Amino acid sequence: MSGDIAEFPGKVEQFPWCGLMIHSDCARHIQKYVTKKLGEDWIFLVLLGLVMALVSWGMDYASAKSLQAYKWMYKELHPSVPMQYLAWVTYPLILILFAAVFCHLVSPQAVGSGIPELKTIMRGVVLKEYLTLKAFVAKVVGLTAGLGSGMPIGKEGPFVHIASICAAVLSKFMSIFCGMYEQPYYYTDVLTVGCAVGVGCCFGTPLGGVLFSIEVTSTYFAVRNYWRGFFAATFSAFIFRVLAVWNKDAVTITALFRTNFRMDFPFDLQELPAFAVIGICCGFLGAFFVYLNRQVVLCVRRHTALSQFLTKYHLVYPGVITFLIATVTFPPGFGQFMAGELMPREAISSLFDNYTWAKHMGDPQILGKSAIWIHPKVSVFVIILLFFIMKFWMSVVATTMPIPCGGFMPVFVLGAAFGRLIGEIMASLFPDGILFDGIVYKILPGGYAVIGAAALTGAVSHTVSTAVICFELTGQISHILPMMVAVILANMVAQSLQPSLYDSIIQVKKLPYLPDLGWNYISKYNIFVEDIMVCDVKFISSTCTYQDLQTLLQSTTVKTLPLVDSPESMILLGSVERSELQALLQRHIGQERRLRIIKEMQQKLAEAPYDGHSKGQWAAMPSCKHESFAFVDEDEDEEEKAEESVEVTDTMKPEEIDAWEQDELNKEVCFDSCRIDPSPFQLVERTSLHKTHTLFSLLGLSHAYVTSKGKLKGVLALEELQKAIEGSTRSGVRLRPPLASFRDTNRTSVSNDQSSQVSQVWSRQDSCVVPVRGAADSGMGSPLPSSSPSPQPPPFPEEGKGLRSVSAADAELEEMELSGPAAENISDILKDLSLRSTDLEEEDEEDVPL
């Protein structure tokens, strides 16, 4: 081969483009291969885990250094108690106010936990600015400052939000390499993985993190995301603990709050009643915590003057709370009776230790940091009880501050304190231990603390995975049986009394989230879609004019509009996004089209008396300015000559423009260039509330159209469904009594009589299908029912017929967005209409056409 090339050196030099083509093809194949590999799932998961591990470790490092400076400043001012008090109060006050100001200026969406908003987003609702880089920066900076202040706020909830933002931003970057990340369905999968990574790298608990994220954020979980969550969370937790070893915070990769309970016999079966008591009590305490948290927020909102004052001076509320908490926990003051000097992580480590404080009679210093719980004049039971009571209300009010803060860690500390209190009581009741099979086993109060922590956090969050998180946090699985018993009992009690903390925040913030149906919800099978749907639907028809379209867009702000065949037949053809309709209208009457028409008319006028090759034709077009021909190459091809740019000036007067626009508005709308969803989600009138709730939750729907034999009858929005579940009648939703399913006896006969009539209507529709442009011959009027006042429903409807809300769906659809459909021509949809089956189902059937 080399010889052949050597024999013809001139040919290679004569055609250098051959080598360039070979190199470009190789480069193209290499680029395609690399791009394909970089767009794979595992690359995205590794990058997400690595970034979040670095962020988590950096946040912990910065907050730990801040707390060290806090303690150092307090100890250096030891002789002067007033100066110590000033430093103890001022330091957290500055950090909390900084966090509040930073979040207020950069991104107000960073305030709070973030899990309620994520739960809403993953249900299909679009919340603007919650998954942006600004929210990421504000959340990280604000949370770091809050954790460094020593206030009773948590990291786990905000970190789930941070990880989800990182996943969303990273998926946009990965879309460069793989278009799969741009798909709407994949967006939810990405957020699911982000939630798992957020919990996993927060405390180094990948297994519990994945399970906790599923329980908290998902109503229905796609199993295909299981391995993604475990892979990313495990990698992130591994890097997080490796960084701690690298920074010499730990000798090797171990649990964050490692315990050393005996493994041979950690507890006796006779202790199970005590563990069950912990679970039941934690259920009541968790429900009370959620109730108090909600009442604090609602109390501020109910007082209009106070709410307006705090809104205007937004730093007053966090400042007062921080000052009050810091004053109560001041160690030389009341803090000495409640271990106020301990920071949250120090409190957890001491509550999990192996010592029994109630029986300790020697030097307290041998207990290490746990010596703070021993007071020479006050019993250890009183100190733990005061710690629990004071930290309880502190955590309740601290989690309502307008800064990034979560409730998992404060509740975890409270549960550990309550469990430790029960454990110390048991140790004092059985000072010699429990006798079993001739062997005496000592009671471990630290084990009770671990069980209490898992039970209370499970009760507040309504999750069972907190037990797995505790196993990974402590590094021991010795108390698996009593912990599961306590967590399950706590959940049973808490779920029967209050919603979870995250659902409570959703209710307080009035986020568009669909509540769950209770087990004993008898009416869910007796309420149907026709009882709660909105009948006054804003729609567009295939025969409408641009004037009708403009009037409709000006009179409503809904995001998606149904497209019907005609106002008389009301056959649903699909749905169109509002943005598509606005663009369609703008293209039709916009300046660009008007100038193009002017240009075409001028060219026709110019070419009419001449052959088109003489220079005199330019004199007939005074409004056209042609480019100079001075530098035109004679060898230029014909295509380049045809692309000579011509500038057209608008010579029409304002009244002429108005007349032209009016003429254009009177024309029928051509939907050929408009993207139409040919298969919007539909329900039949007799679909039960239970089935509707399941479909909305499973598919993340914002609204669904109600049809009967293909005809549009109404629309059901998320708001109407939510009100029906909550039993509200304020917006016109009237729930049926239990016996409302017994309809009129002639209902079935009427429906059977109508079947033949409807089949005839369908046959007429099939035979009269015409293209959109020719639909004007049918003499259809304006499709806008809102042009005339709609009749108001009677104030007291008859039993068995629900009162329909007139405009509630429009208000709901303003806030919701449905993912864009694939583009389809209206003529194709009209042709497909003739292919529909004429088999009619009975009216009582509840099958849902998807």
Side-chain angles (χ1 to χ4, degrees):
M1 185 69 181
S2 60
D4 295 340
I5 295 176
E7 290 178 4
F8 303 98
K11 292 186 178 292
V12 177
E13 295 177 357
Q14 185 177 0
F15 302 102
W17 51 270
C18 294
L20 293 177
M21 288 181 61
I22 294 174
H23 289 303
S24 61
D25 289 342
C26 293
R28 192 180 301 109
H29 285 298
I30 294 174
Q31 181 183 3
K32 185 177 180 180
Y33 177 80
V34 173
T35 301
K36 181 180 179 181
K37 289 299 180 183
L38 289 178
E40 292 183 354
D41 266 359
W42 68 273
I43 295 290
F44 167 77
L45 299 176
V46 166
L47 289 176
L48 177 62
L50 180 61
V51 171
M52 292 315 303
L54 291 173
V55 173
S56 180
W57 178 81
M59 188 181 300
D60 283 358
Y61 180 81
S63 59
K65 292 299 181 182
S66 176
L67 291 175
Q68 288 180 6
Y70 187 26
K71 290 291 190 69
W72 175 84
M73 187 185 304
Y74 166 75
K75 292 179 180 178
E76 287 295 319
L77 299 174
H78 173 60
S80 176
V81 175
M83 293 300 296
Q84 281 186 314
Y85 173 76
L86 183 64
W88 186 264
V89 172
T90 305
Y91 190 87
L93 193 60
I94 293 175
L95 288 177
I96 293 296
L97 294 181
F98 166 77
V101 171
F102 190 85
C103 291
H104 181 76
L105 296 178
V106 178
S107 177
Q109 290 80 11
V111 170
S113 170
I115 289 182
E117 289 79 9
L118 272 174
K119 197 170 183 179
T120 305
I121 291 173
M122 293 180 66
R123 212 218 133 277
V125 180
V126 176
L127 297 180
K128 296 181 179 179
E129 304 296 329
Y130 270 93
L131 298 176
T132 59
L133 278 176
K134 291 197 303 182
F136 179 87
V137 174
K139 202 86 173 184
V140 170
V141 175
L143 182 59
T144 304
L147 294 175
S149 67
M151 290 291 105
I153 60 175
K155 172 188 176 186
E156 189 159 5
F159 214 75
V160 170
H161 188 192
I162 293 173
S164 300
I165 296 174
C166 184
V169 175
L170 191 60
S171 67
K172 293 181 180 179
F173 171 75
M174 294 296 292
S175 62
I176 300 174
F177 305 101
C178 183
M180 178 180 60
Y181 293 93
E182 296 178 350
Q183 300 299 325
Y185 69 88
Y186 200 78
Y187 189 69
T188 304
D189 297 350
V190 165
L191 294 183
T192 302
V193 175
C195 293
V197 172
V199 184
C201 68
C202 185
F203 298 127
T205 56
L207 300 180
V210 174
L211 298 177
F212 184 83
S213 65
I214 293 173
E215 287 188 279
V216 168
T217 60
S218 302
T219 304
Y220 294 92
F221 183 76
V223 183
R224 64 178 179 271
N225 297 322
Y226 214 51
W227 76 269
R228 293 188 181 101
F230 275 116
F231 179 84
T234 302
F235 182 79
S236 182
F238 174 75
I239 299 297
F240 174 70
R241 298 308 296 158
V242 166
L243 289 173
V245 176
W246 173 77
N247 195 47
K248 299 181 180 180
D249 294 334
V251 179
T252 184
I253 298 179
T254 59
L256 199 60
F257 303 111
R258 184 165 184 82
T259 58
N260 296 301
F261 304 138
R262 60 175 183 264
M263 297 296 296
D264 54 346
F265 201 86
F267 66 93
D268 187 81
L269 291 178
Q270 301 178 50
E271 297 179 76
L272 283 179
F275 297 140
V277 169
I278 291 178
I280 296 173
C281 293
C282 285
F284 285 104
L285 291 172
F288 186 59
F289 183 92
V290 174
Y291 173 79
L292 275 185
N293 182 272
R294 184 171 62 252
Q295 290 303 315
V296 168
V297 178
L298 295 179
C299 181
V300 175
R301 291 186 178 182
R302 289 192 188 106
H303 296 79
T304 307
L306 179 61
S307 179
Q308 293 177 352
F309 175 79
L310 295 179
T311 303
K312 184 177 181 180
Y313 304 99
H314 58 276
L315 296 181
V316 174
Y317 185 73
V320 170
I321 291 177
T322 305
F323 176 81
L324 185 61
I325 294 177
T327 300
V328 173
T329 58
F330 182 53
F334 187 77
Q336 62 181 316
F337 305 111
M338 52 169 289
E341 189 176 346
L342 292 177
M343 296 297 111
R345 293 202 173 188
E346 295 175 344
I348 293 177
S349 299
S350 61
L351 289 169
F352 285 176
D353 67 11
N354 283 350
Y355 298 103
T356 303
W357 302 337
K359 297 190 298 182
H360 186 77
M361 308 299 279
D363 186 8
Q365 298 304 320
I366 65 174
L367 300 177
K369 292 185 178 180
S370 300
I372 299 178
W373 298 95
I374 308 299
H375 195 277
K377 299 181 180 179
V378 182
S379 171
V380 67
F381 302 106
V382 177
I383 292 180
I384 298 177
L385 181 62
L386 285 177
F387 176 87
F388 176 78
I389 294 175
M390 302 306 293
K391 287 290 183 179
F392 194 92
W393 69 262
M394 289 179 186
S395 301
V396 167
V397 296
T399 51
T400 62
M401 291 191 296
I403 61 171
C405 58
F408 187 90
M409 196 68 174
V411 173
F412 194 84
V413 176
L414 290 174
F418 180 76
R420 184 78 191 201
L421 179 61
I422 301 297
E424 294 290 342
I425 293 175
M426 289 291 293
S428 63
L429 293 177
F430 303 94
D432 297 329
I434 297 178
L435 180 63
F436 179 77
D437 198 15
I439 304 175
V440 178
Y441 294 95
K442 299 289 185 182
I443 291 178
L444 300 176
Y448 286 75
V450 174
I451 293 172
L456 190 57
T457 50
V460 170
S461 60
H462 287 190
T463 58
V464 184
S465 57
T466 53
V468 183
I469 293 178
C470 282
F471 298 152
E472 295 181 277
L473 278 176
T474 59
Q476 287 188 290
I477 201 171
S478 56
H479 288 79
I480 180 172
L481 177 61
M483 189 177 296
M484 291 303 300
V485 170
V487 170
I488 291 174
L489 287 175
N491 268 275
M492 290 175 58
V493 175
Q495 291 184 21
S496 63
L497 297 176
Q498 288 289 326
S500 69
L501 179 62
Y502 309 118
D503 290 341
S504 176
I505 296 175
I506 288 174
Q507 295 176 6
V508 170
K509 291 187 175 182
K510 297 181 180 180
L511 296 175
Y513 182 75
L514 197 59
D516 294 328
L517 288 175
W519 286 99
N520 297 324
Y521 205 97
I522 303 176
S523 302
K524 61 186 177 182
Y525 297 103
N526 300 326
I527 303 172
F528 299 95
V529 168
E530 62 181 346
D531 300 315
I532 59 179
M533 70 180 183
V534 177
C535 295
D536 184 20
V537 187
K538 309 296 182 183
F539 65 90
I540 54 176
S541 71
S542 60
T543 59
C544 69
T545 63
Y546 286 97
Q547 181 67 56
D548 299 331
L549 182 60
Q550 186 183 53
T551 304
L552 180 61
L553 292 176
Q554 292 175 352
S555 61
T556 183
T557 57
V558 294
K559 297 296 183 182
T560 308
L561 289 166
L563 175 65
V564 299
D565 184 20
S566 65
E568 288 76 15
S569 64
M570 291 297 291
I571 300 297
L572 182 64
L573 303 178
S575 63
V576 188
E577 296 288 334
R578 180 184 181 86
S579 58
E580 289 288 330
L581 296 174
Q582 291 175 335
L584 179 66
L585 182 62
Q586 181 61 29
R587 285 195 301 267
H588 186 70
I589 63 173
Q591 183 181 10
E592 182 179 353
R593 181 171 179 269
R594 189 173 71 250
L595 293 178
R596 186 170 65 252
I597 294 176
I598 293 175
K599 178 182 176 181
E600 293 175 355
M601 294 177 61
Q602 290 174 346
Q603 288 179 348
K604 290 180 180 178
L605 292 175
E607 294 174 358
Y610 298 97
D611 191 24
H613 298 285
S614 63
K615 297 176 61 176
Q617 62 179 338
W618 299 103
M621 299 175 61
S623 60
C624 298
K625 299 179 181 178
H626 199 278
E627 286 184 346
S628 174
F629 289 88
F631 302 100
V632 175
D633 191 359
E634 294 181 357
D635 296 333
E636 189 178 15
D637 58 7
E638 295 180 0
E639 292 182 359
E640 293 180 353
K641 290 181 179 179
E643 293 177 355
E644 297 173 278
S645 61
V646 179
E647 296 182 2
V648 181
T649 57
D650 192 356
T651 58
M652 296 181 65
K653 298 179 181 179
E655 54 272 13
E656 295 177 343
I657 294 176
D658 293 340
W660 176 81
E661 289 183 352
Q662 190 60 40
D663 292 339
E664 295 296 321
L665 289 175
N666 292 330
K667 297 181 179 179
E668 287 189 4
V669 179
C670 177
F671 291 95
D672 290 343
S673 61
C674 186
R675 291 198 313 165
I676 299 173
D677 182 5
S679 57
F681 196 85
Q682 303 172 42
L683 300 170
V684 296
E685 294 175 295
R686 294 284 290 168
T687 306
S688 65
L689 177 64
H690 177 267
K691 184 181 290 187
T692 305
H693 176 274
T694 303
L695 291 171
F696 267 70
S697 301
L698 182 61
L699 302 178
L701 301 176
S702 60
H703 65 278
Y705 298 114
V706 183
T707 58
S708 176
K709 286 87 177 179
K711 294 184 178 182
L712 180 64
K713 294 295 185 181
V715 63
L716 178 64
L718 183 67
E719 181 183 3
E720 296 300 320
L721 184 58
Q722 180 180 358
K723 290 176 180 177
I725 294 173
E726 294 174 349
S728 173
T729 59
R730 289 176 293 180
S731 65
V733 179
R734 179 169 178 172
L735 303 186
R736 292 163 169 256
L739 298 180
S741 59
F742 294 93
R743 301 283 181 156
D744 296 336
T745 56
N746 60 346
R747 181 181 181 88
T748 305
S749 60
V750 171
S751 62
N752 293 332
D753 294 338
Q754 290 177 348
S755 298
S756 58
Q757 300 177 6
V758 175
S759 62
Q760 296 175 4
V761 173
W762 271 93
S763 62
R764 288 198 300 269
Q765 285 293 332
D766 294 340
S767 62
C768 298
V769 174
V770 293
V772 180
R773 298 178 183 272
D777 298 334
S778 59
M780 301 298 181
S782 174
L784 303 178
S786 59
S787 59
S788 60
S790 58
Q792 297 296 328
F796 298 101
E798 297 177 0
E799 183 177 349
K801 294 185 179 180
L803 182 63
R804 275 82 166 181
S805 175
V806 175
S807 59
D810 294 344
E812 172 63 26
L813 295 179
E814 292 174 10
E815 304 175 359
M816 318 294 291
E817 291 184 4
L818 199 59
S819 58
E824 291 238 358
N825 292 334
I826 182 64
S827 58
D828 296 337
I829 299 176
L830 288 171
K831 292 177 182 178
D832 292 339
L833 185 61
S834 62
L835 302 178
R836 296 189 182 182
S837 174
T838 58
D839 296 335
L840 298 177
E841 299 173 351
E842 289 188 2
E843 200 167 358
D844 290 337
E845 189 170 349
E846 295 181 4
D847 291 341
V848 181
L850 297 178

